Amino acid sequence: MDHYDGETNDYRQQEDDWDRDLLLDPAWEKQQRKTFTAWCNSHLRKAGTQIENIEEDFRDGLKLMLLLEVISGERLEKPERGKMRVHKISNVNKALNFITRKGVKLVSIGAEEIVDGNAKMTLGMIWTIILRFAIQDISVEETSAKEGLLLWCQRKTAPYKNVNIQNFHISWKDGLGFCALIHRHRPELIDYGKLRKDDPMTNLNTAFDVAERYLDIPRMLDAEDIISTLRPDEKAVMTYVSCYYHAFSGKQKAETAANRICKVLAVNQDNERLMEDYEKLASDLLEWIRRTIPWLENRVPENTMAAMQQKLEDFRDYRRLHKPPKVQEKCQLEINFNTLQTKLRLSNRPAFMPSEGKMVSDISNAWSGLEGAEKGYEEWLLNEIRRLERLDHLAEKFRQKATIHEGWTAGKEDMLQQKDFETASLSEIKALLKKHEAFESDLAAHQDRVEQIAAIAQELNELDYYDSPSVNARCQRICDLWDSLGALTQKRSEALQRTEKLLETIDQLYLEFAKRAAPFNNWMEGAMEDLQDTFIVHTIEEIQGLTAAHEQFKATLPEADKERQAILGIHNEITKIVQTYHVNMAGTNPYTTITPQTINAKWEKVRQLVPQRDQALVEEHARQQNNERLRRQFASQANVIGPWIQTKMEEIGRISIEMHGTLETQLTQLRQYEKNIVNYKPKIDQLEGDHQLIQEALIFDNRHTNYTMEHIRVGWEQLLTTIARTINEIENQILTRDAKGISQDQMNEFRASFNHFDRDHSGTLGAEEFKACLISLGFDMANDTQSEAEFSRIMSVVDPNRLGLVTFQAFIDFMSRETADTDTADQVMASFKVLAGDKNYILPEELRRELPPDQAEYCIARMAPYSGRDGVPGALDYMSFSTALYGESDL
């Protein structure tokens, strides 16, 4: 910890010295600038970039962060891509914070100075980075950093004459120190014996050229600067010498490792001949691993997603097809090795030691390396696919934004170069100014999109997008056009403002004309519209209202003519002023499209339409009078026919319900009613004729009556239907009475009971009303299960359609059946005995003999389903006979 703090204090002391040095000798700044720039580029070229001006190229912080990532091997925070000062300061602060986290205290170096391009502060920062990452880790014989580097130089150059390294400035001026270091490690590169101390220029250039050509050390110093400076810049020399240290120390380590491998191979050479089988199998496996690992470690990305997908598919084929056999070979190799060792041990021979790199453990390690590379390769493939997806997304985003922007800018240059304002009116000039202001706002709003397009293009370049040239070219076209639009916008704004001042005087004259002409023109257009409007009226009152309104309109025409003359006078005044002052008017009045010709033409049209409207109103008044006559004529008849139909309906209903006289009397009375109704038909026909006239006149309402022709038709049809149905019911009652032998008193009793329970006089009884009627007639309808079943049976007889209603005819049929059941059964038995004689059945031949032919055949056909009783073909017993004649429900 103490050593670490000491290093931090050294940085502060060195920075103080560095500040004073710059103030004393500005020439050192030139040396440092060149050296530090070359040192930075030696690392930045690994990332495919470089700097030209050290204080300018690090201002946005992007290349500074990239430099730190290259020399440290670590990833810094994601940089800001904006062009604003705050983005640059943020990036530089991220770099400075990273340096601070590495144990370096930065004194008097802030992000603002770097962003502002302060050369002194920028050089100081780079020197701090060089100390931390290039010099601090140098360690020689318990000395480190600057002292360690100086000791290393002294040890390496000690054998050389005329070389005495005591510092990092004047000790290197003659160039022999640099040549000695190169010769010590690579004697084939320099003929040191031919060098002279009195020729420093040759010595320095020789060292710099050889180091650059063969050692990959860039030229960081100029021989002229070192020779011409009394005391070369220590930091520049130290930076350059540190590159020698790193170049040679790495080579020495490689040579040591190579020597160690050679020794191991020499020891195992004899054993390899005895272990050919093992060695061959191990070699093949290792060779396969050796060939496979570079393939797995190949991180050269493809440009398209399809190519990367193919790589992923190749990798899957490797896992599925190529690797499994090698797994078997590895397993067999281990088995062979164990078997070989067992045989050597049993024969008291030394254990078999495979050659370096071919031991079982080495193969396992190589296999682990293979699997590690395999894992890394798969991760890289997936990451690269995600990167390509990101690139495709960015490229598509760039294309979309560029297309939108290009679509927006299309035609903008031509628009800005138009000379339309030269012949424009004041209102057009003001409109053009407002439009131009809106365009300027729109232009400013699109600044963000242009910056976004540039930022996306920059990111695509940084991510090494394969089609970056076309992206850059398109981005450049967009930026160039953007600059052009800005210049043209400013030029057009100035021209519009000059033209506006010239037209403001004339504008007031046009405005007064427009204010008076517009409402008058609207009045004339409204008048023409009203005069030509097709009116639709239905009453005499409506046409009278339209006529009154028209008369009021005609009364306003003199005043309107005065207004017309005043408006034309304003236009004449405008014409006089334009002619007097020779004003160049490019168009008509900007405030209105109305001209004096328009006003005069419309006024003349209004004058022509007034008498035409008068004639139309007179004609419509006559038509409405005729329609009113038709309404009254129809209403006078409908108001008589409608009540007459209603009265007849009520009278027919009373006849069918009341019990005045016999059924024959009621039937006679109803037929008389029917005759009277039929005789009323001509009046209905006459009303139909009047209705036809109303329809032809397109009359849709009639306030003189509530009856329509449809009401009359429906009522008439109902009247005819009701009288016919009522007559039919009376006839059916007469047939029932005669067939069942019901007396008139019984019929009256049945009608009285039915009417008593028909409380709503609807002519029908509900289920409960019918049940009460039966109880009143002596039927046993107690509230028990048997009685309910009996009532249900009765309802099925009188209401077969299950409507829940019982008509009087069904009631009469039921009552007559109930009354006559006993007599009918006796008659049937007597008839059967006469026909059967001594037998218990009758035959069809007996029916043909006793009955008329047509009745006999009808009776035989009806009895056919019940014949064949008692084993005699066609025979009918009593039950079959009675069922065939009267049905099972009757007897």
Side-chain angles (χ1 to χ4, degrees):
M1 179 62 71
D2 294 339
H3 174 72
Y4 188 77
D5 293 340
E7 289 296 328
T8 304
N9 293 333
D10 287 343
Y11 289 146
R12 183 180 299 114
Q13 183 62 41
Q14 290 162 359
E15 286 176 357
D16 293 340
D17 294 341
W18 173 78
D19 290 341
R20 289 192 296 271
D21 290 342
L22 282 178
L23 292 173
L24 293 174
D25 190 357
W28 288 2
E29 180 181 342
K30 177 181 178 182
Q31 295 180 18
Q32 289 181 6
R33 187 189 303 273
K34 177 176 179 60
T35 303
F36 291 177
T37 299
W39 184 84
C40 291
N41 284 334
S42 70
H43 293 286
L44 286 175
R45 67 183 179 182
K46 299 175 183 177
T49 186
Q50 64 178 13
I51 61 173
E52 299 294 336
N53 190 318
I54 195 166
E55 63 264 30
E56 288 295 325
D57 293 346
F58 285 141
R59 288 180 65 182
D60 60 0
L62 296 176
K63 290 189 177 179
L64 179 59
M65 295 179 70
L66 182 60
L67 174 64
L68 290 172
E69 288 183 348
V70 172
I71 62 178
S72 67
E74 300 178 17
R75 294 290 294 178
L76 275 68
E77 299 177 45
K78 184 177 180 181
E80 301 286 345
R81 296 298 178 184
K83 302 296 184 179
M84 301 175 64
R85 178 180 173 83
V86 65
H87 297 143
K88 297 177 181 180
I89 291 175
S90 175
N91 290 337
V92 174
N93 273 327
K94 291 177 181 178
L96 296 180
N97 291 336
F98 178 81
I99 297 172
T100 302
R101 291 198 299 272
K102 293 301 180 179
V104 179
K105 292 185 178 180
L106 299 172
V107 180
S108 303
I109 298 177
E112 291 77 7
E113 287 81 4
I114 304 303
V115 173
D116 291 337
N118 188 315
K120 181 177 72 174
M121 293 302 175
T122 303
L123 293 173
M125 176 188 67
I126 298 302
W127 173 241
T128 301
I129 293 173
I130 293 171
L131 281 175
R132 172 61 184 85
F133 294 98
I135 298 176
Q136 177 182 330
D137 295 332
I138 295 176
S139 178
V140 179
E141 297 182 8
E142 298 183 355
T143 61
S144 60
K146 177 181 178 181
E147 292 76 14
L149 181 60
L150 182 61
L151 181 59
W152 178 79
C153 294
Q154 292 170 346
R155 292 286 186 270
K156 296 299 181 180
T157 61
Y160 293 85
K161 64 180 180 178
N162 297 326
V163 178
N164 184 17
I165 304 301
Q166 297 298 326
N167 50 53
F168 287 103
H169 37 82
I170 60 176
S171 296
W172 303 86
K173 287 192 65 174
D174 57 7
L176 292 176
F178 296 111
C179 293
L181 287 176
I182 295 173
H183 186 267
R184 179 64 183 269
H185 294 89
R186 297 288 299 276
E188 74 277 9
L189 298 179
I190 293 179
D191 189 356
Y192 189 83
K194 293 182 179 181
L195 299 176
R196 302 197 320 272
K197 185 175 181 63
D198 59 353
D199 189 7
M201 183 66 71
T202 300
N203 298 340
L204 289 169
N205 284 326
T206 299
F208 296 163
D209 292 338
V210 170
E212 184 177 24
R213 182 179 302 174
Y214 299 103
L215 303 180
D216 198 26
I217 299 174
R219 181 185 287 264
M220 299 182 184
L221 301 172
D222 283 335
E224 293 82 1
D225 294 338
I226 294 176
I227 294 172
S228 63
T229 304
L230 182 63
R231 181 187 178 196
D233 179 67
E234 183 181 47
K235 296 167 183 57
V237 174
M238 190 184 302
T239 300
Y240 186 63
V241 172
S242 68
C243 295
Y244 281 68
Y245 172 84
H246 289 294
F248 293 134
S249 62
K251 185 176 186 309
Q252 184 176 1
K253 293 177 181 178
E255 291 174 354
T256 301
N259 292 332
R260 186 180 300 112
I261 293 173
C262 289
K263 291 179 182 179
V264 173
L265 293 176
V267 172
N268 294 329
Q269 187 172 8
D270 292 338
N271 292 334
E272 289 178 357
R273 290 193 300 269
L274 301 177
M275 315 301 172
E276 289 181 359
D277 292 341
Y278 175 85
E279 290 291 340
K280 184 177 186 307
L281 188 58
S283 298
D284 292 344
L285 184 58
L286 288 172
E287 176 62 21
W288 178 82
I289 295 173
R290 184 189 64 79
R291 291 195 311 271
T292 305
I293 287 179
W295 175 69
L296 294 173
E297 290 178 343
N298 180 16
R299 299 297 190 267
V300 178
E302 299 292 343
N303 292 332
T304 64
M305 180 65 71
M308 288 305 300
Q309 290 286 1
Q310 184 58 47
K311 280 198 171 191
L312 182 60
E313 187 63 29
D314 293 342
F315 177 70
R316 289 172 177 166
D317 288 342
Y318 153 78
R319 276 189 167 176
R320 186 174 60 252
L321 303 176
H322 304 296
K323 185 179 177 183
K326 298 302 178 182
V327 174
Q328 295 295 329
E329 290 181 12
K330 177 177 174 292
C331 179
Q332 187 62 42
L333 185 68
E334 294 174 355
I335 294 172
N336 293 346
F337 178 80
N338 294 331
T339 302
L340 178 61
Q341 294 293 63
T342 301
K343 290 181 179 180
L344 291 173
R345 185 173 62 255
L346 292 175
S347 60
N348 295 321
R349 296 182 62 184
F352 167 58
M353 294 295 294
S355 59
E356 179 67 18
K358 296 183 181 179
M359 297 179 63
V360 173
S361 60
D362 293 331
I363 294 173
S364 297
N365 292 335
W367 190 266
S368 299
L370 174 71
E371 292 184 336
E374 179 182 316
K375 180 180 179 182
Y377 187 68
E378 183 177 21
E379 293 175 354
W380 173 79
L381 282 174
L382 296 176
N383 291 333
E384 190 61 24
I385 288 174
R386 285 191 287 269
R387 184 184 74 86
L388 285 177
E389 288 177 345
R390 168 69 175 164
L391 281 175
D392 289 345
H393 171 72
L394 284 174
E396 181 61 25
K397 187 176 181 182
F398 174 84
R399 285 190 289 271
Q400 289 179 355
K401 288 185 176 291
T403 300
I404 292 173
H405 180 76
E406 290 167 349
W408 179 83
T409 58
K412 294 295 188 295
E413 281 188 307
D414 294 338
M415 179 199 66
L416 293 172
Q417 293 174 348
Q418 288 179 351
K419 302 297 183 179
D420 50 353
F421 55 84
E422 293 180 352
T423 59
S425 63
L426 179 60
S427 61
E428 291 171 341
I429 287 295
K430 291 183 178 294
L432 288 174
L433 273 170
K434 291 185 179 297
K435 182 178 178 181
H436 190 70
E437 290 172 0
F439 174 77
E440 289 177 330
S441 300
D442 196 13
L443 187 70
H446 279 75
Q447 177 68 34
D448 288 342
R449 178 174 287 119
V450 175
E451 292 178 356
Q452 290 172 6
I453 290 172
I456 294 173
Q458 178 66 24
E459 188 171 358
L460 287 171
N461 281 278
E462 292 173 356
L463 293 176
D464 195 22
Y465 182 54
Y466 76 96
D467 198 21
S468 293
S470 64
V471 170
N472 294 335
R474 190 174 186 182
C475 181
Q476 187 61 46
R477 289 195 300 272
I478 290 173
C479 293
D480 293 343
L481 179 59
W482 185 255
D483 295 338
S484 175
L485 289 177
L488 291 174
T489 299
Q490 180 62 28
K491 182 178 179 181
R492 181 175 175 82
S493 178
E494 295 171 355
L496 288 172
Q497 291 173 2
R498 287 194 304 269
T499 307
E500 180 187 23
K501 295 178 181 179
L502 299 176
L503 298 176
E504 285 182 342
T505 304
I506 299 174
D507 179 71
Q508 293 299 323
L509 298 174
Y510 275 134
L511 180 60
E512 183 179 359
F513 176 86
K515 287 182 177 179
R516 302 271 308 261
F520 185 72
N521 182 69
N522 289 338
W523 177 85
M524 288 192 297
E525 289 180 348
M528 288 190 295
E529 183 179 352
D530 292 340
L531 291 171
Q532 296 178 92
D533 185 26
T534 301
F535 49 80
I536 300 176
V537 295
H538 301 94
T539 65
I540 192 69
E541 290 80 5
E542 291 178 0
I543 192 61
Q544 290 172 350
L546 289 176
T547 303
H550 183 64
E551 293 299 326
Q552 292 178 359
F553 168 75
K554 289 194 294 185
T556 64
L557 290 178
E559 189 66 26
D561 190 41
K562 291 180 181 179
E563 178 65 14
R564 180 180 69 86
Q565 295 295 337
I567 293 171
L568 294 178
I570 294 173
H571 182 268
N572 293 334
E573 184 178 355
I574 293 173
T575 303
K576 181 178 179 180
I577 293 173
V578 169
Q579 293 174 351
T580 300
Y581 295 99
H582 304 289
V583 178
N584 181 20
M585 300 303 296
T588 59
N589 193 327
Y591 295 105
T592 180
T593 58
I594 302 171
T595 64
Q597 294 79 10
T598 302
I599 292 175
N600 287 331
K602 291 183 178 179
W603 176 255
E604 187 63 28
K605 182 66 175 179
V606 169
R607 292 182 59 191
Q608 295 174 2
L609 290 175
V610 169
Q612 296 176 11
R613 185 72 168 185
D614 290 335
Q615 180 64 28
L617 289 172
V618 170
E619 293 175 355
E620 182 61 26
H621 188 271
R623 192 176 73 85
Q624 289 300 325
Q625 286 180 331
N626 181 62
N627 289 350
E628 185 67 14
R629 181 184 61 78
L630 293 175
R631 288 190 185 94
R632 292 180 182 277
Q633 179 177 332
F634 178 85
S636 63
Q637 297 183 67
N639 290 336
V640 173
I641 294 175
W644 182 86
I645 292 174
Q646 184 64 30
T647 300
K648 292 303 177 184
M649 289 286 291
E650 293 173 356
E651 290 176 355
I652 292 169
R654 285 196 301 271
I655 292 173
S656 64
I657 294 175
E658 295 174 355
M659 299 177 294
H660 299 298
T662 63
L663 292 175
E664 286 78 2
T665 302
Q666 295 178 21
L667 180 62
T668 302
Q669 187 176 2
L670 286 172
R671 285 176 174 165
Q672 184 61 40
Y673 263 88
E674 183 180 26
K675 182 178 180 181
N676 294 336
I677 290 171
V678 171
N679 293 334
Y680 203 78
K681 184 66 167 59
K683 293 185 178 181
I684 301 297
D685 295 338
Q686 182 180 357
L687 188 63
E688 284 283 4
D690 293 341
H691 177 67
Q692 180 66 26
L693 294 176
I694 286 178
Q695 285 186 324
E696 292 174 355
L698 300 178
I699 299 173
F700 301 105
D701 57 353
N702 192 342
R703 61 181 177 174
H704 303 296
T705 182
N706 294 327
Y707 293 100
T708 66
M709 194 65 226
E710 184 63 25
H711 292 154
I712 299 297
R713 290 193 193 104
V714 172
W716 177 254
E717 292 170 358
Q718 288 180 348
L719 179 61
L720 294 176
T721 302
T722 301
I723 188 64
R725 184 175 61 250
T726 304
I727 291 173
N728 179 258
E729 288 177 355
I730 297 299
E731 290 175 344
N732 288 337
Q733 291 176 20
I734 293 173
L735 291 174
T736 302
R737 181 198 64 189
D738 295 343
K740 301 297 183 179
I742 301 174
S743 65
Q744 185 62 42
D745 293 336
Q746 287 178 314
M747 289 294 294
N748 292 338
E749 180 184 1
F750 294 156
R751 168 56 76 181
S753 298
F754 188 89
N755 290 345
H756 175 75
F757 290 100
D758 182 17
R759 303 186 189 283
D760 58 357
H761 305 291
S762 62
T764 59
L765 296 179
E768 293 300 323
E769 292 175 338
F770 179 63
K771 186 175 183 180
C773 183
L774 293 178
I775 293 173
S776 69
L777 293 173
F779 284 83
D780 184 9
M781 293 286 119
N783 292 328
D784 53 26
T785 304
Q786 184 176 358
S787 298
E788 289 298 329
E790 178 62 17
F791 181 70
S792 296
R793 182 190 70 79
I794 295 172
M795 282 298 295
S796 66
V797 173
V798 299
D799 183 22
N801 296 325
R802 301 184 181 277
L803 299 177
L805 298 174
V806 180
T807 64
F808 181 71
Q809 182 63 43
F811 175 72
I812 289 298
D813 291 343
F814 170 74
M815 293 304 299
S816 63
R817 185 183 301 112
E818 291 294 322
T819 303
D821 275 350
T822 303
D823 294 341
T824 301
D826 293 341
Q827 292 172 5
V828 170
M829 176 59 75
S831 299
F832 180 81
K833 288 182 178 180
V834 170
L835 294 174
D838 296 333
K839 305 188 300 297
N840 293 327
Y841 57 86
I842 59 177
L843 297 173
E845 292 77 7
E846 295 172 339
L847 291 176
R848 292 189 180 97
R849 185 174 61 248
E850 299 295 336
L851 297 178
D854 54 345
Q855 293 181 355
E857 295 302 327
Y858 171 76
C859 186
I860 292 170
R862 181 161 182 175
M863 294 177 181
Y866 306 97
S867 62
R869 305 295 175 93
D870 296 331
V872 179
L876 289 169
D877 59 13
Y878 169 71
M879 289 303 296
S880 299
F881 178 75
S882 63
T883 301
L885 289 179
Y886 297 101
E888 296 178 355
S889 61
D890 292 337
L891 297 177

